[in-house]
Amino acid sequence: MTTEPHSFPRRHARTQRFTLGAPRSFTVAPDGSRVVFLRSGSGTDRANSLWVLDTEEGGERVAADPRALLGGASEDLSPEERARRERSREGGAGIVGYATDTAVELASFALSGRLFAAELRAGTARELPAPGPVIDPRPSPDGRHVAYVAQGALRVVGAEGEGDRALAEPESENVSYGLAEFIAAEEMGRSRGFWWAPESDRLLMARVDDTPVRRWWIADPAHPEREPQRVPYPAAGTGNAEVRLFVIGLDGLRTEVAWDRARYPYLAHVHWSAAGAPLLLVQARDQRSQLILAVDPDTGATRMVHADEDRTWLDLFPGVPCWSPSGQLVRIADEGGARVLAVGERPLTGAQLHVRAVLDVSAHDVLVSASAGAEAAGEAETGQVHVYRVNELGVERVSQEPGVHAAVRTGDVTVLVSATLNRPGSRVQVLRDGKPTRTVPSYAEDPGMSPRVTLTEGGARRVPCAVLMPRDYDGDTPLPVLMDPYGGPHGQRVVAAHNAHLTSQWFADQGFAVVVADGRGTPGRSPAWEKAIHHDFTLSLDDQVDALEDLAKRHPLDLSRVAIRGWSYGGWLAGLAVLRRPDVFHAGIAGAPVTDWSLYDTHYTERYLGTPAEHPQSYAKSSLVTAEGLSSPAEPHRPLMIVHGLADDNVVVAHALRLSSALLAAGRPHEVLPLSGVTHITPQEQVAENLLLLQVDFLKRSLGITTA
């Protein structure tokens, strides 16, 4: 299939959703004199360079250029690095991550499996001799050493390249040191496996043993000459990796950190700062109880600082737990029906805010990301996320314009990243004492379109919704409807940001009224809203239907022609919609759907559904491949397109194949589109472009829409 070179699908794919060229990954020096960040050279350039902004003079300089450092050679990524990027959904190239010392004078990064260091004041970079392939290099706080992982071993080298040595080497092929296991990186938000002591004399180091984890095989049927990839995958109800933690000195001497690993096997978060002893957050497997532990780094003994219990599940939040500079525990908790920030034992926020993350903790306040709480939320606040300063005196909003905001702060300098509905991309401002002083330019391409989006609410439960109409539509004639949800945990789609709605707008411009609905289970409203789906994912579908029927009372929606598309959880939701509610949905596109939740990973699936052995009815009700999953209250059978990447190691292609087999056995017509060499994300330009075009063709065929 071909298209004109400058069509939206081609530009959307080539620019990686118009993210290339945008600055990201900011670090602020303690004295506020410089801001370090990553940015590629244009809106179509995948290779990120390391940049330094002088906040006083305003000038920028490149501290490390990947093309110069590699001498023009192409990158060579190890399987371990490819897997790490897949977990973080990283589609870029060049320098995709870096770490600095405390003074933000030395940065280290891996490039094509090689180890590099950059002097951030001088703007120079050099390669350090190291056995590869190098993963996750991190300077010591004093800048004298760099620790990194290579071939499962945690190693350290001097900042000038001297004295490279292994601190811990794997005892078998199933053991690694210094890396996050699959579910920590995929589900817990922990991408690291080692942490420097503030004094730079030792580290905390995770040891992962994958022996208890079942092995799966990921093959590429398009290349039968290639051997399948053997991967450990902890499916729901099966064995997890064994994770232990050690304090290890630069001489290699280690002391194991002791806690009740049998009761609390999940190492979810580690924090080590000068404000106190190392902190661990460890969770029970059912995620209904967790402990915050302080570690004695000399003996490995732990003491309990705080304990949490919840009858449904306990969420994990970025930035916490941690110590304040005065040694008080900072955490986010679900208390009194709200998600609150607590410092010490005192909640500093209430029902007015739904706290999402802790961004920085100073002696005077805590910087948080939050949305309006359930009691304060209304249609005017739909999709907004703001940055707030919180202390005992109250709450002050840092971000002002309506939109979605994030921030990085050190001292009196804040980097504020802001996306709004009326401006493409994100604007990056450098604030000093809360006042804008600099702007970090973005090289991202302008999408060339502005979404015609209305943020609203639908149904009795006031489901947050985005309604998009064709940009050239000015009539009252009802349009065929395309529901375009994610619809599940972690995946808020209804946001007050321009670029988030570009693909939905492109579908709208093909002649659809597009509806995006964030029902129960999606983040951003209240703990009760998110936890309503406990043991029953199908409530997500109920909310889609309720929102659709209510919106049709206020918008020109043709309910006789309704389709739904989605990816991952959204793909499962699309499949569920056409199988369970053919009276409402007339066609569906299920992209990389989880069709059998017993095939998905432990930490995610068991949080919501329990284990398959203990709650088989929850799995059966939420499955698309069981007899219950295929049953529907009415005929006829609706067209369904199933799309899946054959190289997906997160939602493996077995999900799509089992659904197709079950549909075939039940005599239900459907289409299957296999994507050779594609993982859970689709960074390949031609694949991503043509996938959009094929979906439009399928939707128009299925709904009987004649192309003018």
Side-chain angles (χ1 to χ4, degrees):
M1 180 176 291
T2 60
T3 185
E4 65 272 20
H6 302 296
S7 69
F8 173 82
R10 173 59 61 93
R11 295 184 64 227
H12 184 260
R14 181 169 293 177
T15 61
Q16 292 191 356
R17 303 172 304 280
F18 300 97
T19 61
L20 298 180
R24 62 185 181 98
S25 305
F26 301 95
T27 304
V28 181
D31 61 2
S33 64
R34 9 183 227 289
V35 173
V36 185
F37 60 96
L38 299 177
R39 185 178 59 198
S40 64
S42 75
T44 57
D45 181 9
R46 294 179 61 241
N48 292 288
S49 296
L50 186 66
W51 292 77
V52 178
L53 168 70
D54 185 320
T55 59
E56 299 293 337
E57 302 296 329
E60 294 179 355
R61 62 180 183 275
V62 177
D65 180 345
R67 292 182 175 89
L69 293 173
L70 293 179
S74 59
E75 290 186 64
D76 181 19
L77 301 182
S78 67
E80 293 80 8
E81 176 63 15
R82 291 184 186 277
R84 190 194 67 80
R85 295 189 185 191
E86 181 71 18
R87 301 284 74 76
S88 62
R89 309 299 189 261
E90 174 61 68
I95 304 169
V96 299
Y98 69 96
T100 72
D101 60 353
T102 300
V104 193
E105 296 184 352
L106 179 73
S108 64
F109 55 90
L111 185 61
S112 198
R114 294 153 57 184
L115 176 60
F116 292 88
E119 299 288 348
L120 297 174
R121 287 186 182 273
T124 59
R126 63 186 185 277
E127 183 173 3
L128 302 181
V134 170
I135 298 176
D136 195 26
R138 294 180 178 271
S140 57
D142 63 9
R144 296 177 59 189
H145 297 89
V146 177
Y148 64 97
V149 178
Q151 298 179 351
L154 180 63
R155 304 183 66 90
V156 67
V157 63
E160 300 298 325
E162 77 283 2
D164 182 272
R165 60 197 181 276
L167 298 183
E169 295 185 273
E171 296 84 3
S172 73
E173 65 176 1
N174 295 336
V175 172
S176 64
Y177 286 95
L179 295 177
E181 74 275 21
F182 175 93
I183 55 171
E186 182 68 38
E187 308 297 0
M188 300 182 201
R190 177 171 67 79
S191 60
R192 304 174 54 182
F194 67 89
W195 300 263
W196 278 101
E199 300 80 14
S200 302
D201 58 341
R202 49 191 168 180
L203 305 96
L204 276 170
M205 170 187 69
R207 178 187 186 272
V208 174
D209 184 352
D210 275 332
T211 302
V213 183
R214 288 182 182 176
R215 264 48 182 178
W216 285 5
W217 298 90
I218 308 295
D220 186 354
H223 293 277
E225 75 280 6
R226 297 178 184 172
E227 289 190 0
Q229 182 184 2
R230 186 170 181 258
V231 299
Y233 191 92
T238 69
N240 279 313
E242 180 187 76
V243 180
R244 298 161 64 186
L245 193 66
F246 295 86
V247 179
I248 190 163
L250 296 183
D251 56 4
L253 294 178
R254 68 175 80 173
T255 301
E256 183 164 5
V257 177
W259 79 91
D260 186 356
R261 290 190 296 110
R263 178 71 182 90
Y264 300 97
Y266 289 140
L267 177 64
H269 183 79
V270 177
H271 167 80
W272 201 353
S273 70
L279 282 178
L280 312 180
L281 175 61
V282 295
Q283 278 192 331
R285 178 151 177 170
D286 65 8
Q287 298 172 64
R288 296 183 182 186
S289 62
Q290 64 187 25
L291 302 178
I292 299 174
L293 304 173
V295 180
D296 182 337
D298 294 324
T299 66
T302 57
R303 62 177 175 85
M304 188 178 71
V305 178
H306 186 82
D308 284 305
E309 292 187 356
D310 192 283
R311 64 180 182 178
T312 50
W313 70 72
L314 291 158
D315 277 302
L316 302 174
F317 307 103
V320 289
C322 66
W323 296 118
S324 72
S326 62
Q328 290 186 293
L329 180 67
V330 180
R331 60 190 179 89
I332 296 172
D334 294 347
E335 296 180 358
R339 183 153 295 155
V340 302
L341 171 73
V343 177
E345 292 302 317
R346 179 181 176 185
L348 296 187
T349 61
Q352 78 277 16
L353 286 186
H354 185 72
V355 181
R356 295 166 173 257
V358 166
L359 307 175
D360 181 58
V361 182
S362 73
H364 309 291
D365 60 40
V366 180
L367 197 71
V368 303
S369 169
S371 48
E375 294 186 9
E379 196 167 88
E381 290 80 26
T382 297
Q384 295 193 45
V385 180
H386 285 280
V387 175
Y388 297 85
R389 293 176 58 243
V390 181
N391 58 27
E392 294 184 351
L393 299 178
V395 176
E396 176 188 358
R397 201 167 94 177
V398 175
S399 51
Q400 296 303 317
E401 58 184 343
V404 177
H405 305 267
V408 174
R409 183 182 73 173
T410 302
D412 61 357
V413 172
T414 301
V415 178
L416 181 66
V417 183
S418 302
T420 66
L421 276 175
N422 57 9
R423 184 177 61 237
S426 296
R427 182 175 66 184
V428 179
Q429 294 178 294
V430 179
L431 315 179
R432 188 178 291 273
D433 293 324
K435 299 178 180 179
T437 60
R438 305 288 175 198
T439 299
V440 182
S442 172
Y443 301 154
E445 286 196 4
D446 190 315
M449 71 161 71
S450 293
R452 182 176 173 176
V453 57
T454 300
L455 298 184
T456 183
E457 296 176 339
R461 281 180 288 272
R462 298 170 43 226
V463 173
C465 296
V467 181
L468 297 100
M469 306 301 287
R471 286 174 293 161
D472 61 357
Y473 177 76
D474 293 318
D476 296 322
T477 303
L479 295 176
V481 182
L482 175 61
M483 302 291 286
D484 194 15
Y486 179 78
H490 316 307
Q492 183 178 1
R493 287 283 320 279
V494 180
V495 292
H498 180 282
N499 283 24
H501 301 288
L502 290 175
T503 302
S504 294
Q505 182 62 56
W506 181 78
F507 274 100
D509 289 343
Q510 311 312 305
F512 297 92
V514 177
V515 174
V516 183
D518 283 346
R520 286 170 291 178
T522 56
R525 173 159 289 188
S526 71
W529 180 267
E530 297 174 11
K531 296 175 182 180
I533 60 170
H534 194 219
H535 291 314
D536 188 1
F537 280 156
T538 66
L539 295 182
S540 302
L541 177 58
D542 296 340
D543 289 348
Q544 297 292 315
V545 174
D546 291 347
L548 171 66
E549 292 176 344
D550 183 50
L551 291 173
K553 301 173 183 176
R554 293 172 276 140
H555 298 273
L557 308 183
D558 180 358
L559 296 187
S560 70
R561 294 184 294 175
V562 178
I564 182 170
R565 68 181 286 269
W567 195 266
S568 197
Y569 190 100
W572 166 82
L573 186 54
L576 187 77
V578 296
L579 294 174
R580 303 280 180 91
R581 295 300 305 270
D583 55 319
V584 175
F585 298 95
H586 308 95
I589 299 173
V594 182
T595 66
D596 181 351
W597 287 98
S598 66
L599 293 180
Y600 200 59
D601 72 52
T602 53
H603 193 269
Y604 182 99
T605 315
E606 293 173 9
R607 180 189 315 139
Y608 307 119
L609 301 182
T611 64
E614 294 176 346
H615 299 279
Q617 71 284 356
S618 297
Y619 282 79
K621 186 173 184 180
S622 298
S623 172
L624 302 185
V625 299
T626 62
E628 182 176 354
L630 290 173
S631 64
S632 61
E635 300 291 348
H637 300 154
R638 301 303 189 182
L640 175 63
M641 173 186 278
I642 305 167
V643 185
H644 217 118
L646 299 181
D648 197 333
D649 68 349
N650 178 20
V651 182
V652 295
V653 73
H655 287 274
L657 297 178
R658 292 188 183 186
L659 176 58
S660 178
S661 296
L663 291 172
L664 184 62
R668 291 175 175 263
H670 62 284
E671 300 178 19
V672 179
L673 179 61
L675 306 177
S676 179
V678 172
T679 61
H680 201 57
I681 55 177
T682 53
Q684 297 91 334
E685 183 177 316
Q686 286 185 317
V687 172
E689 174 193 13
N690 288 326
L691 188 54
L692 287 178
L693 297 172
L694 288 168
Q695 289 180 66
V696 167
D697 178 71
F698 171 81
L699 292 171
K700 289 185 174 182
R701 284 190 287 112
S702 300
L703 297 181
I705 300 173
T706 303
T707 303

